[in-house]
Coordinates of all heavy atoms in Angstrom, one line a residue:
Q22 N 96.3 117.6 101.3 CA 96.2 116.5 100.4 C 97.1 116.8 99.1 O 97.8 115.8 98.8 CB 94.7 116.2 99.9 CG 94.7 115.0 99.1 CD 93.3 114.7 98.5 OE1 92.7 115.6 98.2 NE2 92.9 113.5 98.5
R23 N 97.1 117.9 98.6 CA 98.0 118.2 97.4 C 99.5 118.1 97.8 O 100.2 117.5 97.1 CB 97.6 119.6 96.9 CG 98.5 120.0 95.8 CD 98.2 121.4 95.3 NE 99.0 121.8 94.1 CZ 99.3 123.0 93.8 NH1 98.8 124.0 94.5 NH2 100.1 123.2 92.8
T24 N 99.8 118.6 98.9 CA 101.2 118.5 99.4 C 101.6 117.1 99.6 O 102.7 116.7 99.0 CB 101.3 119.3 100.7 OG1 101.0 120.6 100.5 CG2 102.8 119.2 101.2
Y25 N 100.8 116.3 100.2 CA 101.0 114.9 100.4 C 101.2 114.2 99.1 O 102.1 113.3 98.9 CB 99.9 114.2 101.2 CG 99.9 114.5 102.7 CD1 98.7 114.2 103.5 CD2 100.9 115.1 103.3 CE1 98.7 114.5 104.7 CE2 100.9 115.4 104.7 CZ 99.7 115.1 105.4 OH 99.7 115.3 106.7
A26 N 100.3 114.5 98.1 CA 100.4 113.9 96.8 C 101.7 114.1 96.1 O 102.4 113.2 95.6 CB 99.3 114.3 95.9
Y27 N 102.3 115.4 96.2 CA 103.6 115.7 95.5 C 104.7 115.0 96.2 O 105.6 114.6 95.6 CB 103.7 117.2 95.3 CG 103.0 117.7 94.1 CD1 101.7 118.4 94.3 CD2 103.5 117.6 92.9 CE1 101.0 118.8 93.2 CE2 102.7 118.0 91.8 CZ 101.5 118.7 92.0 OH 100.9 119.1 90.9
L28 N 104.7 115.0 97.6 CA 105.7 114.3 98.3 C 105.8 112.8 98.0 O 106.8 112.1 97.9 CB 105.6 114.7 99.8 CG 105.8 116.1 100.2 CD1 105.5 116.3 101.8 CD2 107.3 116.5 99.9
L29 N 104.5 112.3 98.0 CA 104.4 110.8 97.7 C 104.8 110.4 96.5 O 105.5 109.4 96.2 CB 103.0 110.4 98.0 CG 102.6 108.9 98.0 CD1 103.6 108.1 98.9 CD2 101.2 108.7 98.4
V30 N 104.5 111.2 95.4 CA 104.9 110.9 94.0 C 106.4 110.9 93.9 O 107.0 110.1 93.2 CB 104.2 111.7 92.9 CG1 104.9 113.1 92.8 CG2 104.2 111.1 91.6
D31 N 107.1 111.9 94.6 CA 108.5 111.9 94.5 C 109.1 110.6 95.1 O 110.0 110.0 94.6 CB 109.0 113.2 95.4 CG 110.5 113.3 95.3 OD1 111.0 113.4 94.1 OD2 111.1 113.2 96.5
H32 N 108.5 110.2 96.3 CA 109.0 108.9 96.9 C 108.7 107.7 96.0 O 109.7 106.9 95.8 CB 108.3 108.7 98.3 CG 108.7 107.4 99.0 ND1 109.9 107.3 99.4 CD2 108.0 106.4 99.2 CE1 110.1 106.1 100.0 NE2 108.9 105.5 99.8
L33 N 107.6 107.7 95.4 CA 107.3 106.6 94.6 C 108.2 106.5 93.3 O 108.6 105.4 92.8 CB 105.8 106.5 94.2 CG 104.8 106.3 95.3 CD1 103.4 106.6 94.8 CD2 105.0 104.9 95.8
R34 N 108.5 107.7 92.8 CA 109.5 107.7 91.7 C 110.9 107.2 92.1 O 111.6 106.5 91.3 CB 109.6 109.1 91.1 CG 108.3 109.6 90.3 CD 108.4 111.0 89.9 NE 107.3 111.5 89.1 CZ 107.1 112.8 88.8 NH1 108.0 113.7 89.3 NH2 106.1 113.1 88.2
W35 N 111.2 107.5 93.2 CA 112.5 107.1 93.8 C 112.5 105.5 94.0 O 113.6 104.9 93.5 CB 112.8 107.8 95.0 CG 114.1 107.3 95.8 CD1 115.4 107.7 95.4 CD2 114.3 106.3 96.8 NE1 116.3 107.1 96.2 CE2 115.6 106.2 97.0 CE3 113.3 105.5 97.4 CZ2 116.1 105.3 97.9 CZ3 113.9 104.6 98.4 CH2 115.2 104.5 98.6
L36 N 111.5 105.0 94.5 CA 111.3 103.6 94.6 C 111.4 102.9 93.2 O 112.2 101.8 93.1 CB 110.0 103.2 95.2 CG 109.7 103.4 96.7 CD1 108.3 103.0 97.1 CD2 110.7 102.7 97.5
E37 N 110.8 103.5 92.3 CA 110.9 102.9 90.9 C 112.4 103.0 90.3 O 112.9 102.0 89.8 CB 109.9 103.6 90.0 CG 109.7 103.0 88.7 CD 108.6 103.7 87.9 OE1 107.4 103.3 88.2 OE2 108.9 104.5 87.1
R38 N 113.0 104.0 90.6 CA 114.4 104.2 90.1 C 115.3 103.3 90.8 O 116.4 102.9 90.2 CB 114.8 105.6 90.2 CG 114.2 106.6 89.1 CD 114.8 108.0 89.2 NE 114.0 108.7 88.3 CZ 112.9 109.4 88.6 NH1 112.3 109.4 89.7 NH2 112.3 110.2 87.6
E39 N 115.1 103.0 92.1 CA 115.9 102.1 92.8 C 115.5 100.6 92.6 O 116.1 99.7 93.3 CB 115.8 102.4 94.4 CG 116.4 103.8 94.8 CD 117.9 103.8 94.5 OE1 118.5 102.9 95.1 OE2 118.3 104.8 93.9
C40 N 114.5 100.4 91.8 CA 114.0 99.0 91.6 C 113.5 98.3 92.8 O 113.8 97.1 93.0 CB 115.0 98.2 90.9 SG 115.5 98.9 89.3
L41 N 112.8 99.1 93.7 CA 112.3 98.5 94.9 C 110.8 98.3 94.8 O 110.1 99.3 94.4 CB 112.5 99.5 96.2 CG 114.1 99.6 96.5 CD1 114.2 100.8 97.5 CD2 114.6 98.3 97.1
A42 N 110.3 97.2 95.1 CA 108.9 96.9 95.0 C 108.2 97.6 96.2 O 108.8 97.7 97.3 CB 108.6 95.4 95.1
F43 N 107.0 98.2 95.9 CA 106.3 99.0 97.0 C 106.2 98.2 98.2 O 106.4 98.7 99.3 CB 104.9 99.4 96.4 CG 104.2 100.2 97.4 CD1 104.4 101.6 97.4 CD2 103.1 99.6 98.1 CE1 103.7 102.4 98.3 CE2 102.4 100.5 98.9 CZ 102.6 101.9 99.0
A44 N 105.8 96.9 98.2 CA 105.5 96.1 99.3 C 106.8 95.5 100.0 O 106.7 95.0 101.0 CB 104.7 94.9 99.0
A45 N 107.9 95.6 99.4 CA 109.2 95.1 99.8 C 110.1 96.1 100.5 O 111.2 95.7 100.9 CB 109.9 94.3 98.7
V46 N 109.6 97.3 100.7 CA 110.5 98.4 101.2 C 110.8 98.0 102.6 O 109.9 97.8 103.5 CB 109.9 99.7 101.0 CG1 110.6 100.9 101.7 CG2 109.6 100.2 99.6
Q47 N 112.0 98.2 103.0 CA 112.5 98.0 104.4 C 112.9 99.3 105.0 O 113.0 100.4 104.4 CB 113.7 97.2 104.3 CG 113.5 95.9 103.7 CD 113.1 94.8 104.5 OE1 113.5 94.7 105.7 NE2 112.2 93.8 104.0

């Protein structure tokens, strides 16, 4: 769970920097 959390937060930060909405990712 901890590993998943750190990998997921990295991905979510990238989405934010790319201005991609969570629900709109292709």
Side-chain angles (χ1 to χ4, degrees):
Q22 187 186 36
R23 178 181 179 205
T24 301
Y25 286 165
Y27 280 100
L28 293 171
L29 185 55
V30 80
D31 183 60
H32 178 68
L33 293 171
R34 287 174 179 169
W35 178 81
L36 289 177
E37 194 171 278
R38 285 183 186 92
E39 294 292 311
C40 299
L41 294 170
F43 183 81
V46 174
Q47 305 272 325

